[in-house]
Amino acid sequence: MRADKSQDRVFFGMPVALVAGYIAVIFCMTGDGIEQAFLSKYLVNLGFSVQNASLVFTVYGLTAAISAWISGVLAEMFSPRRVMLVGIVWWLFFHALFLQFGLVHLSLPFTLIFYGMRGFAYPLFFYGFFVWVVQTAPPARLASAIGWIWSMFTIGYGIIGSYLPSITIPLIGFLPTLWMSMGWVLAGGIIFYFMRSPPIIVTNTSASRSKIGELSKGITLIFENRNIGLALITRVICNLSLFGFPVIMPIFYTSSAVGFSTPQWIRIWGTFFLVQPLTNILWGIIGDRIGWMRQMRWVGFVGCGTATLLFYYLPLRFGASTPVAVLGALLFAFTITSFVPMGAIFPMMAPSHKGAAVSVQNLGGGLANFCGPALATALLPWGGTRAVVICYAALYFFAAALTLFIHVDQPKGVSVVIIPAH
C-alpha cells in the first residue's frame, strides 16, 4: 500500500513525490555523458591507438550490458534508492581511478579496467530510478511518468552532455572537463540521497526468488520463442551506430580528411540529440497508425542504414561544412528515433512472461552498447572508419529483411509515444 494519497499527485504526468529524482537524473546523466563525443579523440591525442581507443569503449559496453540486464531486478530486490546510491558511489570511485591511473599515467590496462568497471554504474542509478517510478506512479499515469524519465535522460546525457564540453574544452581542456563531470554526478547523488524512500519496497524472499526466476527466464525465452530471439537480434542492431559513432566519428570528423575542430564536432553531435524529444513523440504517433514493425523496417532499418552511410560520406564529400554535417546528424536522428516501438514489441510477443521479455529487451540494448564499439575494434585495423560504417549499414539492411520473419500482434489503442527505444 502507499504511505499516503500524496504519492498519487502528478504534474503533467510526472509524480510530484519524485520531481527531485527527475532533476537528479539530469545531473547524473549529464556527468555520465560528458565524455561521449570526445573521449575517443582524446585517447588518440594521448598516444593510444585508434584500435585501443575502440577497445576501451568495447569493454565499457560489455559491463554496461550486464548491468542493464540485472539492474531492474536488483532495484526491486533491494529498493531503488539503495541500488541508485551504490551506482553513484561506484561511478565516482571508478571514474576517479580511470582518470588518475588510466589517463594521467597513460596506462591502457588501467584504462580498460577502471573505465570498464565504471560501466556497471550508470544502469544502476538510471534503471533503478526507472523501477522507483514504476513503484510510485499511479497506474493510469505510468506511461507519462516513464516518458518523463527518457526526456530527462535525453536532456542530461544527450543535450547538456554534448554541448557542455564544446564550451569547457576550449576554456579548461580535456582532462579538467572529465574531472568536472564528477561534480554533476555527485550533485545528482546528493539529491537522490535526501529523497524519501520509495512507497513500495520488495524485500521478501519469495518475491526475490520470483524476480531471479523471471530474469533467468529472459535467457530461456530467447531460445523458446522464435519471435523473441529474432527481435533480440534486431534490438542489438538498431543502436549499433548510436554507440559506435562516438568511437569513430570524433576522430574522423576532426581528421585532415574533413577538418572540423573538436568543439565543432561536439556541437554537431549535440544537434543529433537536440531534436530527439520531438522525433520520439512523432514516431510514436506515426507508428501507432501505420504499424510498429512496418515503421521500424522501412524508416528504422532501411532509413538508418542510409543515414549511417550519409553521416560518413557527406562530410567526406563536402569537407568541414557545418550545414551539411548538421543535415547528416538530423537525418540520423530522424531515422534512429523511429525505433520507438522496439520497447513495446517484446512484452507483446510474450504476454505470459512480460518481465522476462523486458529483460531481453534491456539485454539487447546493453549488447548494442557492446557490439557497436566491438565491431569498430575488429574492423578499424582492416579497413578503417569506412569499413566500420559500411558494416553498420549492411547490418541495418539485414535487420530490415529479418523483420519480415517477426510476428507481433499490435493491439488496438495501445500507444508507444512514451515507450523508449534506447
Side-chain angles (χ1 to χ4, degrees):
M1 294 179 59
R2 298 184 184 278
D4 54 66
K5 291 186 178 181
S6 66
Q7 297 290 351
D8 291 331
R9 293 174 55 201
V10 296
F11 178 77
F12 290 104
M14 178 188 295
V16 172
L18 294 181
V19 168
Y22 284 97
I23 296 172
V25 167
I26 295 179
F27 279 88
C28 288
M29 295 315 303
T30 295
D32 188 70
I34 280 177
E35 82 244 8
Q36 59 167 316
F38 71 86
L39 181 59
S40 64
K41 173 69 174 179
Y42 182 48
L43 290 173
V44 173
N45 289 348
L46 290 176
F48 294 96
S49 69
V50 176
Q51 293 77 19
N52 285 338
S54 180
L55 180 61
V56 170
F57 281 82
T58 301
V59 173
Y60 177 89
L62 179 60
T63 57
I66 296 171
S67 184
W69 179 47
I70 65 174
S71 56
V73 172
L74 291 177
E76 292 196 324
M77 289 174 61
F78 300 106
S79 89
R81 183 175 180 273
R82 291 174 183 170
V83 170
M84 286 187 292
L85 291 176
V86 168
I88 288 167
V89 172
W90 187 291
W91 193 99
L92 292 169
F93 179 71
F94 284 105
H95 185 73
L97 293 179
F98 157 60
L99 297 183
Q100 182 61 42
F101 295 101
L103 300 189
V104 173
H105 291 279
L106 304 179
S107 170
L108 178 61
F110 281 144
T111 297
L112 290 171
I113 293 171
F114 295 134
Y115 191 63
M117 292 298 292
R118 205 200 82 181
F120 284 106
Y122 98 81
L124 294 179
F125 59 73
F126 180 73
Y127 288 109
F129 184 69
F130 196 100
V131 172
W132 198 340
V133 170
V134 170
Q135 292 180 348
T136 305
R141 299 297 184 92
L142 180 59
S144 299
I146 292 174
W148 276 105
I149 299 176
W150 289 103
S151 294
M152 301 302 105
F153 177 93
T154 302
I155 291 171
Y157 185 86
I159 298 174
I160 302 177
S162 293
Y163 281 107
L164 183 61
S166 71
I167 300 172
T168 60
I169 288 174
L171 294 176
I172 61 177
F174 288 98
L175 190 60
T177 295
L178 289 170
W179 283 109
M180 177 193 66
S181 63
M182 295 183 67
W184 288 85
V185 176
L186 179 61
I190 292 173
I191 296 173
F192 276 133
Y193 181 79
F194 286 104
M195 284 183 65
R196 294 176 60 187
S197 296
I200 301 174
I201 303 177
V202 179
T203 56
N204 63 78
T205 305
S206 60
S208 298
R209 282 198 297 263
S210 174
K211 293 299 177 183
I212 294 174
E214 192 72 357
L215 185 65
S216 62
K217 180 65 177 177
I219 295 297
T220 60
L221 197 60
I222 298 171
F223 304 98
E224 295 172 354
N225 188 317
R226 172 179 167 274
N227 285 315
I228 290 283
L230 294 177
L232 175 62
I233 298 173
T234 64
R235 178 65 182 94
V236 174
I237 293 174
C238 78
N239 279 345
L240 286 180
S241 293
L242 177 65
F243 293 114
F245 276 0
V247 178
I248 59 177
M249 290 306 181
I251 301 168
F252 171 68
Y253 270 67
T254 59
S255 68
S256 58
V258 178
F260 285 109
S261 67
T262 297
Q264 287 175 323
W265 151 252
I266 293 173
R267 286 190 288 270
I268 292 167
W269 187 242
T271 303
F272 163 70
F273 286 100
L274 191 61
V275 300
Q276 287 192 27
L278 176 61
T279 54
N280 272 318
I281 295 173
L282 175 65
W283 284 122
I285 295 171
I286 295 174
D288 291 338
R289 292 181 178 272
I290 69 173
W292 299 343
M293 293 304 296
R294 181 182 301 166
Q295 174 177 294
M296 290 193 295
R297 178 182 306 126
W298 295 110
V299 184
F301 290 113
V302 174
C304 202
T306 304
T308 293
L309 294 172
L310 291 174
F311 202 77
Y312 172 79
Y313 281 104
L314 283 177
L316 192 64
R317 169 64 178 83
F318 294 97
S321 170
T322 299
V324 171
V326 167
L327 175 62
L330 292 176
L331 288 173
F332 184 37
F334 187 74
T335 54
I336 203 167
T337 50
S338 68
F339 290 118
V340 162
M342 190 66 78
I345 66 173
F346 283 86
M348 296 301 173
M349 290 186 294
S352 300
H353 298 282
K354 290 185 177 181
V358 170
S359 75
V360 175
Q361 198 275 151
N362 291 344
L363 177 63
L367 288 175
N369 201 342
F370 164 71
C371 291
L375 285 172
T377 302
L379 295 175
L380 280 171
W382 174 70
T385 302
R386 180 176 305 178
V388 179
V389 170
I390 292 175
C391 178
Y392 290 162
L395 287 170
Y396 278 119
F397 298 140
F398 165 74
L402 199 61
T403 59
L404 295 170
F405 302 94
I406 300 174
H407 176 73
V408 180
D409 291 320
Q410 180 175 342
K412 301 289 185 181
V414 174
S415 175
V416 296
V417 170
I418 43 66
I419 298 179
H422 303 277

